Amino acid sequence: MGKFAVATVAVLATAAVFVTFALPEIVGSNRAVEPTPEKAAALPASPPKPAETSTPENKKAEAEKVLADTLRQLARIEGEGARTWGIEPVDGASIAAVDALLERARTLFAQRNYAAASTVLTETAASIKRLDETKPGRLDVAVQAGAKALAALDAPTAEKHYRVAASLKPGAPEIETALERAKKLPEALRHLNAGSAAEQAGSSEEALQAYQSALAVDPALTGAKEGLKRVEAAAKAANLRKAVSKVHERLNAHDAFGAESALAQAAKIEPGAPEIADLRRRVVAAVQVARIEKVRARAEDSEKKENWSEALRAYEEALAIDPNAAFASTGRARARAQVDLHRNIDSYLDQPSRLQSASPLAHATAILAATSKQVEGPVLAAKKEKLQKLVYAYSRPVPVVIKSDRQTSVELYRVGLIGLFETYRMELPPGKYVAVGSRTGYRDVRVEFEVPPGATEHNVSIKCTEAIR
């Protein structure tokens, strides 16, 4: 009920009291002096005529004045909710005490004992004042009692006290909030009790929903908070046990990477759990072994395919995981040797002309000799066969026929002066050569030619034919 409605009720109540007091007296007065209805209606509002001596009329007027003042005070305090907060006596002050004094005054009015009525009305005004003065204390008591009742989950008592507090301090947010909580507490308690029953029955999901519903109604409900915490903790523990079991299952199946994934999921549930720390050590060790074995398999597969560069990378990766892996150390050395061997052979296969020089030819020959008894795959065997043919070809001289005109003197670089001839036959190792011809009165001529390996014969012509004028 709003302030306006309360004030309206108070005014109506005061008017009713006034009628109770004044109307019988007015009726009695009419019977005695028989005034007209207009005069009778105006009688209570007419001020008493001044009199020098205390007469019954003067006492009546004084009593009516005291009555009006008292009723105004009563209307004010009723408008402030006194009929809600003033029910319980405090140091003898209560709304009931005020009502009792008013009833005595009414009786004295009816008896036309105005002097006594005035005295009682004065006492009534004093009682109203005392009642008004108890408001601060009543507010403290109501708030404390309401809080205590809420703590004890006594919804009716809490609502009763907070209603008193709300009437004493209308619009106070903290009181309005507490009153609203007291009103909703029965519903919250129903959810709380349902959650407790479900928890005891082992229905975690049902208990969780019930506790959440209780907190949706009353977020401050301690029992629901604690219950929700218990249920969530139990669910968390169950999930952790399930996740840990999954890790053990993967480890037992020798699935290290599956165990690593399962451990990551378990760690999300409870990172600091002791079992997580123990499992992490086991999983890390298992994963290291699995990674090394995976790399080892890749290295061995690369060796079978004679992909020695990839094999070397795999062995180095294995040593990065475990520097003490013996297979990786020996494998790396073997792979490096093979990488170097293939690189050297490929250099001659890609540029066979290098074998024209004695040093490269000797090197290629030494490579073939050093690997003659080595176990080799088809790739290396094919390369060695090609190199063997090249070495053989570059090691055998080729018949060379040089044609001239008996007038040109021919000199072959790296061989020497041949002189004048028409046909000159000789054998030369495969390679590039330069022949220079000279003749008196003619310009010198320079011929570059290459003797290909494996040729049956190579022909060259050199003649000075351009005369000098």
Side-chain angles (χ1 to χ4, degrees):
M1 183 181 292
K3 289 184 177 180
F4 178 79
V6 172
T8 301
V9 172
V11 170
L12 292 175
T14 303
V17 172
F18 179 80
V19 170
T20 301
F21 275 92
L23 189 56
E25 180 58 26
I26 293 171
V27 172
S29 177
N30 285 349
R31 289 175 180 172
V33 299
E34 298 182 1
T36 64
E38 292 79 6
K39 291 181 179 180
L43 182 59
S46 300
K49 296 179 180 180
E52 296 295 334
T53 60
S54 179
T55 64
E57 290 76 9
N58 291 340
K59 292 180 180 179
K60 177 182 177 184
E62 291 174 0
E64 288 175 346
K65 183 177 182 301
V66 175
L67 171 62
D69 291 339
T70 302
L71 292 180
R72 279 193 296 272
Q73 295 180 43
L74 178 61
R76 176 186 60 79
I77 200 169
E78 284 181 334
E80 295 173 356
R83 294 205 172 272
T84 298
W85 54 260
I87 295 174
E88 298 295 331
V90 174
D91 295 333
S94 67
I95 194 67
V98 173
D99 289 341
L101 288 171
L102 282 174
E103 179 60 24
R104 285 177 55 196
R106 188 195 68 77
T107 301
L108 292 171
F109 256 88
Q111 296 172 356
R112 294 191 176 90
N113 189 347
Y114 302 118
S118 294
T119 300
V120 173
L121 287 170
T122 301
E123 293 177 9
T124 302
S127 179
I128 291 172
K129 181 179 180 183
R130 287 195 301 274
L131 179 60
D132 193 34
E133 291 172 347
T134 64
K135 287 168 64 177
R138 287 177 183 274
L139 177 61
D140 291 341
V141 169
V143 169
Q144 292 174 11
K148 184 177 180 180
L150 270 184
L153 305 181
D154 184 353
T157 302
E159 184 175 356
K160 169 188 171 184
H161 288 297
Y162 279 120
R163 284 191 181 280
V164 170
S167 67
L168 286 163
K169 194 176 181 181
E174 66 278 7
I175 294 176
E176 294 294 336
T177 299
L179 177 58
E180 190 63 23
R181 186 187 171 204
K183 291 178 181 178
K184 293 181 178 180
L185 184 57
E187 180 186 356
L189 289 177
R190 285 195 296 274
H191 291 302
L192 174 63
N193 294 333
S196 179
E199 186 180 358
Q200 291 178 5
S203 179
S204 300
E205 186 62 30
E206 185 179 345
L208 181 69
Q209 294 178 358
Y211 287 136
Q212 289 174 338
S213 298
L215 290 173
V217 176
D218 183 0
L221 190 58
T222 303
K225 289 181 181 179
E226 294 174 348
L228 182 62
K229 186 176 180 180
R230 285 194 308 273
V231 171
E232 289 179 338
K236 187 176 183 180
N239 290 336
L240 180 61
R241 287 194 298 272
K242 184 177 180 181
V244 167
S245 176
K246 183 69 174 179
V247 178
H248 284 294
E249 177 186 325
R250 292 296 85 207
L251 284 174
N252 293 336
H254 304 290
D255 180 7
F257 297 110
E260 185 179 39
S261 177
L263 179 63
Q265 294 300 316
K268 290 179 181 179
I269 299 172
E270 187 62 63
E275 54 266 52
I276 295 296
D278 178 62
L279 278 174
R280 182 172 284 111
R281 287 189 290 270
R282 293 180 57 191
V283 168
V284 166
V287 167
Q288 179 173 323
V289 171
R291 287 177 62 195
I292 289 178
E293 289 303 317
K294 186 176 181 180
V295 173
R296 181 175 189 167
R298 194 173 87 234
E300 291 175 350
D301 182 63
S302 297
E303 283 196 19
K304 290 178 182 178
K305 295 177 180 178
E306 296 182 74
N307 187 348
W308 293 102
S309 295
E310 179 58 31
L312 179 59
R313 282 192 292 269
Y315 286 127
E316 287 177 341
E317 185 177 335
L319 288 170
I321 298 171
D322 182 6
N324 298 318
F327 83 92
S329 296
T330 57
R332 180 174 63 179
R334 182 170 61 253
R336 278 179 176 172
Q338 289 295 317
V339 167
D340 291 341
L341 174 61
H342 279 263
R343 183 184 298 116
N344 287 326
I345 293 176
D346 289 342
S347 70
Y348 294 122
L349 296 181
D350 293 339
Q351 294 179 302
S353 60
R354 293 179 59 206
L355 295 173
Q356 295 174 2
S357 300
S359 178
L361 183 60
H363 181 236
T365 303
I367 289 175
L368 292 171
T371 60
S372 60
K373 296 181 180 180
Q374 177 177 307
V375 177
E376 57 195 32
V379 175
L380 179 59
K383 288 183 178 182
K384 286 176 62 178
E385 183 179 357
K386 291 180 181 179
L387 181 60
Q388 181 72 52
K389 290 179 179 181
L390 287 173
V391 169
Y392 178 83
Y394 277 96
S395 300
R396 297 292 182 272
V398 176
V400 177
V401 178
I402 305 175
K403 300 286 187 177
S404 189
D405 56 4
R406 289 183 179 274
Q407 297 179 36
T408 301
S409 178
V410 178
E411 182 179 0
L412 188 62
Y413 289 174
R414 293 193 300 163
V415 176
L417 180 64
I418 300 176
L420 301 174
F421 59 88
E422 184 175 348
T423 300
Y424 188 86
R425 297 179 181 279
M426 63 187 306
E427 289 186 343
L428 293 175
K432 293 180 180 181
Y433 295 89
V434 176
V436 177
S438 61
R439 177 182 176 184
T440 303
Y442 288 82
R443 294 186 184 280
D444 291 349
V445 64
R446 177 186 175 91
V447 177
E448 296 181 0
F449 63 93
E450 182 175 356
V451 177
T456 57
E457 185 179 272
H458 188 72
N459 295 296
V460 179
S461 177
I462 181 166
K463 300 174 183 179
C464 293
T465 59
E466 184 181 356
I468 300 174
R469 295 179 183 179

